[in-house]
Every structure is written in structure tokens, then in C-alpha cells.
Amino acid sequence: MPQVVRSRIRALHGPPPVAPLPHRFRSLADREAVAVLHRAARVLLDSLPELTDRLVEALREQEPAYRTAIEAEPAEIWQEVHHSLRHNVASLIQPREFRDAAHRTSRWIGETRAEQGVPLDAVMHAFRMGGAMVWQDLVDDTARRHPEDIRLLVHVAADVWNFVDEHCGVVAEAYRQAERRLTWRRENQQRLMTAALLDGTARIADLPDAAAMLGLPVQGRYAVLAVATARRAPHGTDRPPLTLPEGTQVLWHTAGDTELAVLPLEAVPAAAHEALPCEGDADANGGPSGTPGRDALASVAADLAAPPGTRIGISSVVDGLASVGDARRLAETALRACPASGGTVLLDEHLPTALVVSSPGLGTALADRVLGPLDRLDPSDRDVIIETLTAWLDSDGSAQRAGARLYCHRNTVLNRLRRFEQLTGRCLTRPSDAVEVSLALAARRLLGG
């Protein structure tokens, strides 16, 4: 008996008919062939438990994705298969009475398998296996009981397989809808959990669940990056235009105009640690090197690639997932210490500047107190003194190097510095005054005024 046959196509005359509604079952076989199908289907309904046993066993042997579910919940799977077969076989006999119930069963199976994580291909295979087994039983029963009618089943074969395809479509659509809901729910839960960690509102008792959901260790070293771009990313973009070293794992979260990135330092590629001094070794200046976490963070900061105008603040290293909220605040402090023109500020390397931006009121007051006398000068004259003072401090107090930066003689630099001291009453060789001047310049640059 061939398994695939063509149904008869009746000749149509006159204007073309209106297209049928989707999922409309309309048999092309004659009344006698349909009667043979109904008779065989009624026999199949009477032996449904035995058919269910055979289908469940076939699924166990041929479909690995179902094997685990069958072994874990054999009774539930048996009832599900029996329920589906009963409605579908009954639909072959009385489509109007059972079609909706059969569709509901197929939709429920599709949704349930999606929630269980059974692959859609496996679900489709299971339905087609059931359709093939039902068709074969219809053929075998007719051949055994009424062999003279076996030829009539040829005319309903296409209709039976169209019915199977219809239910495969119902299952697939229900599966995909459930999958979309699950994906949205999972992503929403991840966003909420990430926000709670960054806000510092996550409960200690929830940390293990958060770690499992986000794929992060509860105990470990973390840092947070705060990124502000000159141009906002297009709607729907998952992350800002920032390139991290290859292989670096990061968890992004949007907070207003700032993009935040949780960086688990254990996930930084091993290559990031190469050529870095080990903990306890001496650094280039003869002092002890930083911790491995700081070394990895410094390596990431050095390898960041971002468009011009992007401002990036990087927190200090913190211990444990519970401290990610502290790291977020440190990263935002580092971001405020970034120049308006863009750049990357690693907090541990700019702590004095971070102190200034942490208290804008005090920073502005310090700038007014130290640099206020310069505001009485002509703006161009004032800017020259501030530029010279900044270059001298950036050159570690070397008038020679500052002059090279400013394209002027070292004596010119010294003259301008002396004028600053005369106007402000500060002595740049006095350590306390030098600290105040440095902080005041940072406050004027970052806070304005």
C-alpha cells in the first residue's frame, strides 16, 4: 500500500471560486470512501489504549527528547497521548463536534512542551509519528476486515495527512507563542534582577537565584562600567557602541542616559593577565603591584574601544555579587570625573578627582576660593595662567617639560607660575597648597564655574 497518494481533483467550471478559509477541512473523497474511513476510525477508537501504548513506546525508542519525560512522568505522558489520539481520531469521524477540542489539545501540548524545553523538531516528529501510526492502523484494519474496500482508502489518504499537517501547524504556532512568552518573561526577570543588583536593593536571600539566572558567581570579584555616549544608541540596541576585549563577558543594563555593565573579573580572558605583574611582585616603580583583579581591570580599561566623545567610568574592584550596587555608585563617580570631551576614567587612578566630583558643592567652593582671584583678570590672560599651571602639574612640576608642551621657554612658565602665586597667595612648593590647587583645577574643569 503506498503511503502517499494524490486525492482526486474535480473539474471546476465557471469563474474561479473564493479561496477557502484557513484550516478549513474539506474532503474531496466520495461518500463511500468516507464511510470506509469512519468505519475503520470507530474500530481504532475501541482499541485506543493499545494504540497509545505502542505510540508511547515508539516515542521512547525513537525520540530522545521525549525519553526523559516519559521515564520521569510515564502516567502523565500516557494520558496526554491518549487524550490527543482520542480527539484526533474522533475528529476524523465527526469533525464539527471534535475539531475545536482537538485543536485545544494540540495547542496545550505545544505550550507544555515549550515550557518543558522539548525541542520543537521533536514535538513535530512525535505528532507525525502519531499520524503515521493512526493511518497504518486504519489501513491494516480495513485490509483485515474488508479487503475489498482497501482501494477506497486511497481517496482519503490526502485528507488524513492534511489533517495531520493542520495539527502540526497548530502545535508549532502554540509552541512559538509560548516560547516568545517564556523568552520575554525570562529577559524581564533578568532585567529586574540586574537592576536590583545595581541599585543595591537585591536581598541577600535572593543572591543565589540571581547568580543562577544571570550566570554569575555569588562570590567573586566584580567591577561596573558606566558609559555615556555622545549619541544615544538606536532604539532596540542591546548595548552601547563599546568594544570590550575579545572574550570578555559582561552584563549590560540601561539606566536613564547611562549604560551600565557588570563585569565579572573571573570572566576576563586569561590573555588579559599576560605581561602583568603577579601579586606581591614589584611594579615598575619598585612598589608592590596591584591585586589580580585590579590588574585585569586595568587591562580591560586599556583595551576598550569606543567612538569619540564616549565617556566611560570604571569602578574599583568589589568582592561579591552583593557589592555590585557599591560598584555602580563608584562607576558613576568615575563617570562624573570624565572630561566632557570623552575618555576613560579608572576610579582607582583618579581618586583625588573623584573626591571633588563626589561633593560638587565643596568642589565648587574650593575652586572659587583658590582660583577666584584669577577671575578678575582678562579672560584670555586668566586662561593662559590656568593652562600653564595645568601643564606644569601634569609634567610633575617640571618647567622644562611644561614649556615643551606649551611651546614656550621654561622661564616663561616660571614667570607665569610666580604671577599665579602673587595673585592667589598660594605657594606651589608647599605640598598642601599644591594639593589644593590641583583639586581646584579639577573642580573648575569638571564642575564648571
Side-chain angles (χ1 to χ4, degrees):
M1 168 64 66
Q3 295 300 312
V4 179
V5 297
R6 297 181 180 274
S7 61
R8 293 179 299 172
I9 303 177
R10 297 176 179 174
L12 299 176
H13 302 282
V18 178
L21 294 175
H23 305 301
R24 182 123 179 141
F25 183 86
R26 180 172 175 270
S27 176
L28 299 178
D30 56 29
R31 184 175 302 176
E32 187 178 2
V34 171
V36 171
L37 173 66
H38 288 179
R39 183 181 62 202
R42 290 190 184 94
V43 173
L44 197 60
L45 280 176
D46 293 336
S47 59
L48 210 54
E50 186 269 337
L51 174 60
T52 303
D53 290 339
R54 286 191 286 118
L55 180 54
V56 170
E57 185 60 28
L59 288 173
R60 184 200 302 273
E61 294 178 355
Q62 301 179 35
E63 185 48 68
Y66 267 80
R67 189 175 302 138
T68 301
I70 293 172
E71 292 174 353
E73 299 178 334
E76 287 78 0
I77 298 298
W78 193 95
Q79 288 293 338
E80 175 187 302
V81 172
H82 185 270
H83 196 63
S84 177
L85 288 173
R86 180 162 57 85
H87 280 93
N88 289 338
V89 174
S91 293
L92 295 176
I93 304 171
Q94 296 176 292
R96 291 186 179 181
E97 289 79 357
F98 289 94
R99 182 175 183 273
D100 289 343
H103 278 196
R104 284 195 300 271
T105 300
S106 296
R107 281 194 295 269
W108 181 85
I109 292 174
E111 293 172 354
T112 302
R113 293 293 167 262
E115 292 172 356
Q116 293 174 341
V118 177
L120 178 57
D121 287 347
V123 181
M124 294 292 95
H125 184 212
F127 258 77
R128 291 191 173 95
M129 285 176 61
M133 195 169 287
V134 167
W135 170 250
Q136 192 62 52
D137 279 15
L138 292 173
V139 172
D140 290 347
D141 179 78
T142 302
R144 184 174 61 255
R145 296 170 181 268
H146 306 279
E148 70 280 3
D149 292 337
I150 194 68
R151 59 183 177 78
L152 294 173
L153 285 181
V154 170
H155 303 302
V156 294
D159 293 324
V160 172
W161 285 105
N162 286 340
F163 178 86
V164 173
D165 287 342
E166 176 186 357
H167 277 265
C168 284
V170 171
V171 170
E173 179 60 24
Y175 186 101
R176 294 189 182 101
Q177 289 179 356
E179 198 172 38
R180 286 192 290 270
R181 288 196 302 270
L182 291 169
T183 299
W184 178 88
R185 188 184 309 161
R186 181 170 57 253
E187 291 176 349
N188 192 51
Q189 288 174 341
Q190 290 176 343
R191 283 193 296 269
L192 293 175
M193 188 57 70
T194 304
L197 289 173
L198 288 165
D199 292 342
T201 57
R203 300 186 307 169
I204 298 298
D206 293 335
L207 291 181
D209 290 340
M213 181 186 303
L214 302 175
L216 300 173
V218 175
Q219 301 299 330
R221 288 176 173 152
Y222 291 92
V224 170
L225 282 65
V227 183
T229 56
R231 295 181 179 178
R232 291 293 294 162
H235 180 70
T237 301
D238 291 335
R239 59 183 59 182
L242 177 67
T243 302
L244 291 159
E246 185 177 357
T248 302
Q249 298 179 16
V250 68
L251 180 65
W252 288 101
H253 181 75
T254 301
D257 293 334
T258 304
E259 299 287 346
L260 300 172
V262 179
L263 178 66
L265 295 177
E266 283 76 4
V268 172
H273 300 275
E274 294 178 1
L276 292 172
C278 297
E279 186 173 6
D281 291 345
D283 62 16
N285 297 320
S289 70
T291 65
R294 289 198 187 105
D295 288 342
L297 190 57
S299 178
V300 170
D303 293 338
L304 286 175
T310 301
R311 298 162 54 239
I312 306 169
I314 304 178
S315 73
S316 303
V317 178
V318 298
D319 290 324
L321 202 57
S323 300
V324 167
D326 296 332
R328 181 241 180 106
R329 289 185 284 275
L330 295 175
E332 290 176 334
T333 299
L335 182 64
R336 290 195 295 271
C338 284
S341 58
T344 300
V345 169
L346 187 59
L347 185 69
D348 287 347
E349 297 176 358
H350 297 80
L351 291 176
T353 304
L355 288 173
V356 171
V357 297
S358 295
S359 181
L362 292 177
T364 301
L366 177 64
D368 291 342
R369 179 182 175 187
V370 176
L371 304 177
L374 300 181
D375 292 334
R376 294 192 289 268
L377 300 175
D378 182 84
S380 60
D381 195 13
R382 176 199 62 200
D383 292 344
V384 167
I385 293 178
I386 289 179
E387 182 183 24
T388 302
L389 187 59
T390 301
W392 180 75
L393 289 170
D394 290 344
S395 301
D396 297 326
S398 170
Q400 186 74 34
R401 292 201 298 272
R405 288 190 179 194
L406 300 172
Y407 303 101
C408 64
H409 196 273
R410 64 180 298 275
N411 290 338
T412 302
V413 173
L414 293 174
N415 289 334
R416 292 173 182 172
L417 295 179
R418 278 195 292 271
R419 189 178 180 206
F420 169 80
E421 291 178 330
Q422 293 169 357
L423 290 170
T424 62
R426 306 286 168 171
C427 178
L428 294 175
T429 58
R430 186 182 301 130
S432 59
D433 283 1
V435 170
E436 284 191 349
V437 170
S438 177
L439 293 176
L441 287 172
R444 178 67 64 93
R445 183 179 72 253
L446 297 170
L447 302 176

